[in-house]
């Protein structure tokens, strides 16, 4: 007896059952393809889960790198409003801080790119980023890279310390503590054209200087750099203060490294006693006699960083071979024409000081000359309405300052003469040429943010001039920290050269 045949489903129920069967089959096929694709390493080229889904269905996930870049594009810098400050003298006395500005800028300009890093333009498209980085690092390691020509690029990683993580910052350079509203000036790093200037490595520096002493000798700008270095090192080893009235000293016990600072505003001998036509009370600068204070300490130092020049804008008389030969903001009419102005006097002082250092038989270390630190006063001098307000990022174009160019030229000339005078010992002298790169960092000065006084003046006076500002020293943290990246690289190269 045969079984009765199954009747085909009839009506709407049959149609629905047939559609469900088809949909299940399609979904099963899609899932099968996905599993196969994943198991064989995406054998279906350029496919993803979204490719298998119907149009209009999306997959939720993280934004792509390009979307993140667009979404996090840098906005307008904070603090675009003019910055103004407090009236008080800015002349440093007895090593306690201050500065004097240069002359008026000349109209000559020079263009440089100061921009955020571009992922395409930052490297050679014919090689991979890893190859570029390797090549640049190799040049830096070999000491063949020119550190002083390049551009400023934005580095979102920020500074290595803050005004809260280093307790020794001089109040006048504590820009954030004094109420400066913008912070982008802290985030620009110097990028040489042909290689990478490594980010400061405190542990590497301390190991390199194990058992050694590094001394900064000069004026308040030298102090600025010394404090920057101590702050950078402080983040890995809190130092002990071993200083006295004659010399500031910080000992880092982990490596027995000492960082010192000796005040010497001129680097040559200074006296206020009467000399010839120059009466008592005026600073007499003996251009051919090195400053005996730091020369006494010189044999104790393994590395010395020398910087000076800004005090040559101060009222003074110049003495050479025992005779008064010129002056600045002082010269008696009856004495006739001066033989030497302050720019030429500075050049002579540099030659005198560096020759004495290099030829000192008891100094066998390394002497590094940090070149002229440019100021950025606009519209006058520090005490006549000069200002650097509103500068919140590196300049794209620099107005050349005639006084800065002249002083820098004399400093380099004096350095070269000293190298020649010292003969073989001249190899101890190295030039750290920061002047051009830092001509673009008008944003890095305290400006009016020199004091935490909440009632400080922030508006221009009735004459339209802003209060006196500090457009010479550098905020901490800030561009001055780059000097110590360059310093570390200079010391590393020289020590490796000596060992090699």
């Amino acid at each position: 007896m045969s079984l009765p045949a199954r009747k085909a489903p009839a009506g709407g129920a049959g149609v629905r059952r047939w559609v469900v069967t088809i949909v299940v089959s399609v979904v099963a096929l899609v899932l099968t393809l996905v599993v196969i694709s994943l198991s064989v390493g995406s054998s279906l080229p350029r496919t993803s889960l979204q490719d298998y889904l119907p149009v209009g269905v999306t997959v939720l996930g993280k934004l792509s790198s390009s979307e993140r870049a667009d979404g996090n594009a840098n906005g307008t810098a904070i603090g675009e409003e003019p910055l103004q400050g407090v009236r008080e003298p800015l002349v440093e006395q007895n090593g306690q801080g201050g500065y004097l500005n240069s002359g008026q800028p000349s109209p000559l300009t020079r263009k440089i790119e100061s921009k955020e890093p571009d992922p395409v333009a930052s490297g050679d498209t014919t090689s991979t980023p890893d190859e570029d980085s390797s090549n640049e690092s190799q040049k830096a390691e070999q000491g063949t890279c020119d550190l002083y020509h390049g551009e400023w690029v934005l580095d979102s990683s920020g500074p290595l310390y803050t005004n809260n993580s280093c307790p020794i910052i001089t109040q006048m350079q504590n820009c954030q503590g004094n109420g400066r509203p913008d912070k982008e000036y802290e985030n620009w790093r110097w990028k040489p054209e042909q290689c990478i200037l490594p980010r400061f490595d405190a542990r590497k520096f301390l190991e390199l200087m194990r058992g050694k002493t590094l001394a900064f000798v000069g004026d308040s700008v030298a102090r600025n750099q010394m404090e920057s270095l101590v702050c950078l090192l402080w983040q890995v080893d809190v130092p002990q203060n071993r200083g006295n009235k004659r010399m500031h000293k910080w000992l880092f016990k982990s490596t027995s490294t000492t960082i010192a600072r000796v005040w010497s505003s001129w680097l040559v001998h200074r006296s206020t006693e009467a000399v010839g036509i120059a009466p008592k009370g005026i600073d007499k600068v003996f251009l051919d006699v090195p400053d005996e204070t730091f020369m006494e300490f010189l044999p104790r130092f393994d590395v010395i960083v020398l910087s000076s020049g800004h005090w040559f804008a101060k009222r003074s008389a110049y003495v050479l071979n025992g005779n008064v030969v010129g002056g600045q903001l002082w010269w008696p009419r009856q004495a006739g024409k001066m033989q030497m102005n302050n720019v030429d006097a500075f050049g002579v002082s540099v030659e005198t000081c560096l020759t004495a250092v290099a030829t000192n038989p008891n100094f066998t270390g390394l002497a590094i000359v940090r070149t002229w630190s440019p100021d950025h006063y606009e519209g006058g001098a520090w005490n006549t309405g000069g200002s650097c307000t509103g500068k919140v990022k590196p300049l794209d174009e620099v107005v050349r300052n005639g006084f800065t160019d002249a002083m820098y030229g004399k400093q380099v000339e004096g350095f070269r003469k000293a190298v020649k005078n010292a003969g073989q010992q001249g190899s101890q002298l190295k030039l750290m040429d920061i002047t051009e790169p830092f001509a673009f960092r008008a944003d890095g000065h305290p400006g009016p943010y020199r004091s935490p006084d909440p009632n400080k003046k922030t508006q221009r006076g009735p004459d339209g001039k802003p209060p006196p500002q500090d457009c010479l020293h550098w905020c901490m943290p800030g561009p001055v920290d780059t000097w110590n990246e360059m310093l570390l690289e200079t010391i590393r190269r020289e020590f490796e050269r000596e060992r090699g």
Side-chain angles (χ1 to χ4, degrees):
M1 183 161 88
S2 62
L3 296 174
R6 180 174 296 183
K7 292 182 179 181
V15 174
R16 284 195 298 272
R17 195 171 297 143
W18 179 78
V19 170
V20 169
T21 302
I22 296 299
V23 169
V24 170
S25 300
V26 171
V27 171
L29 177 61
V30 169
L31 292 177
T32 301
L33 290 173
V34 171
V35 171
I36 293 173
S37 174
L38 294 174
S39 64
V40 299
S42 297
S43 58
L44 299 176
R46 301 181 64 83
T47 58
S48 67
L49 180 59
Q50 186 164 345
D51 294 327
Y52 295 108
L53 297 175
V55 176
V57 179
T58 60
V59 178
L60 298 179
K62 294 182 179 179
L63 294 175
S64 68
S65 59
S66 60
E67 289 170 321
R68 285 196 300 270
D70 293 339
N72 292 332
N74 293 314
T76 304
I78 302 172
E80 293 285 351
E81 69 275 4
L83 313 177
Q84 292 154 28
V86 206
R87 285 198 177 274
E88 64 181 61
L90 306 183
V91 178
E92 179 161 334
Q93 298 288 351
N94 301 321
Q96 298 304 310
Y99 40 93
L100 299 142
N101 93 305
S102 65
Q104 293 299 308
S106 66
L108 300 177
T109 60
R110 180 181 179 276
K111 186 78 172 177
I112 191 172
E113 292 186 6
S114 297
K115 59 185 180 183
E116 299 174 28
D118 182 88
V120 176
S122 60
D124 183 353
T125 56
T126 62
S127 60
T128 66
D130 288 342
E131 289 172 345
D132 289 338
S133 178
S134 175
N135 292 337
E136 291 178 335
S137 298
Q138 185 177 10
K139 288 180 181 180
E141 288 295 321
Q142 294 173 347
T144 58
C145 167
D146 178 1
L147 296 177
Y148 309 112
H149 292 88
E151 65 177 354
W152 291 98
V153 296
L154 194 61
D155 179 5
S156 60
S157 59
L160 293 174
Y161 67 94
T162 70
N163 65 307
N164 292 320
S165 68
C166 183
I168 66 160
I169 300 175
T170 295
Q171 186 64 59
M172 290 173 64
Q173 278 82 68
N174 187 356
C175 299
Q176 290 298 307
N178 293 338
R180 180 165 174 171
D182 62 299
K183 294 190 70 172
E184 187 176 299
Y185 67 90
E186 295 180 347
N187 298 334
W188 292 86
R189 295 198 67 241
W190 179 246
K191 173 65 173 67
E193 290 176 353
Q194 300 297 326
C195 66
I196 295 172
L197 175 63
R199 194 169 175 83
F200 189 87
D201 186 330
R203 297 188 188 281
K204 181 176 182 179
F205 182 94
L206 290 172
E207 189 58 41
L208 196 64
M209 291 295 296
R210 177 178 288 274
K212 294 181 170 61
T213 296
L214 181 149
F216 292 91
V217 177
D219 54 21
S220 58
V221 184
R223 182 210 64 227
N224 204 171
Q225 185 179 1
M226 182 273 290
E227 289 182 356
S228 164
L229 178 59
V230 173
C231 284
L232 289 164
L233 299 176
W234 197 293
Q235 309 311 302
V236 301
D237 185 9
V238 176
Q240 294 180 351
N241 188 344
R242 297 288 183 86
N244 53 46
K245 291 183 178 180
R246 300 189 70 200
M247 179 165 53
H248 294 173
K249 286 196 299 184
W250 296 94
L251 173 64
F252 294 85
K253 293 190 70 176
S254 63
T255 57
S256 297
T257 300
T258 299
I259 305 300
R261 180 226 175 185
V262 180
W263 173 258
S264 181
S265 52
W266 311 91
L267 297 184
V268 289
H269 179 66
R270 164 199 170 270
S271 172
T272 58
E273 296 301 316
V275 176
I277 61 173
K280 183 176 180 178
I282 294 177
D283 279 333
K284 318 300 182 309
V285 184
F286 292 74
L287 302 176
D288 51 357
V289 181
D291 182 3
E292 63 279 2
T293 303
F294 87 82
M295 290 298 293
E296 174 190 339
F297 295 126
L298 185 63
R300 305 185 194 180
F301 304 144
D302 300 283
V303 178
I304 184 172
V305 181
L306 298 149
S307 57
S308 68
H310 293 285
W311 276 64
F312 278 84
K314 187 178 184 290
R315 185 170 183 257
S316 51
Y318 306 129
V319 182
L320 186 62
N321 298 320
N323 300 315
V324 179
V325 294
Q328 169 67 5
L329 302 178
W330 171 86
W331 187 253
R333 290 184 178 180
Q334 63 272 23
K337 185 179 180 180
M338 289 193 303
Q339 300 176 40
M340 188 174 294
N341 62 20
N342 62 338
V343 175
D344 293 329
F346 174 54
V348 175
S349 75
V350 171
E351 180 183 356
T352 294
C353 169
L354 298 184
T355 300
V357 168
T359 58
N360 187 303
N362 298 316
F363 176 67
T364 58
L366 174 65
I368 299 172
V369 181
R370 196 257 300 138
T371 60
W372 181 268
S373 178
D375 66 57
H376 292 90
Y377 288 99
E378 295 179 357
W382 69 268
N383 58 349
T384 60
S387 167
C388 49
T389 57
K391 303 295 188 295
V392 296
K393 60 179 60 179
L395 301 174
D396 290 322
E397 191 173 60
V398 170
V399 177
R400 305 303 298 190
N401 186 306
F403 184 73
T404 292
D405 290 348
M407 293 294 273
Y408 168 75
K410 285 296 180 181
Q411 188 179 31
V412 173
E413 181 184 344
F415 172 85
R416 290 173 177 165
K417 288 180 178 179
V419 170
K420 183 177 180 180
N421 296 341
Q424 291 185 342
Q425 294 168 294
S427 61
Q428 292 176 278
L429 301 175
K430 301 297 176 183
L431 196 69
M432 199 172 91
D433 196 351
I434 63 93
T435 305
E436 180 176 321
F438 284 81
F440 296 90
R441 293 311 307 272
D443 59 319
H445 302 296
Y449 296 99
R450 303 168 47 242
S451 165
D453 177 13
N455 299 315
K456 62 176 174 284
K457 296 179 182 178
T458 57
Q459 301 296 325
R460 294 176 180 265
D463 57 358
K465 294 180 179 179
Q469 299 182 18
D470 183 350
C471 303
L472 172 61
H473 294 96
W474 304 92
C475 292
M476 291 180 56
V480 67
D481 301 318
T482 303
W483 292 359
N484 290 314
E485 291 180 338
M486 294 174 171
L487 177 62
L488 171 54
E489 182 64 16
T490 301
I491 295 172
R492 183 195 66 79
R493 291 180 180 185
E494 186 60 22
F495 283 9
E496 291 183 357
R497 185 190 66 82
E498 291 176 354
R499 286 199 300 268

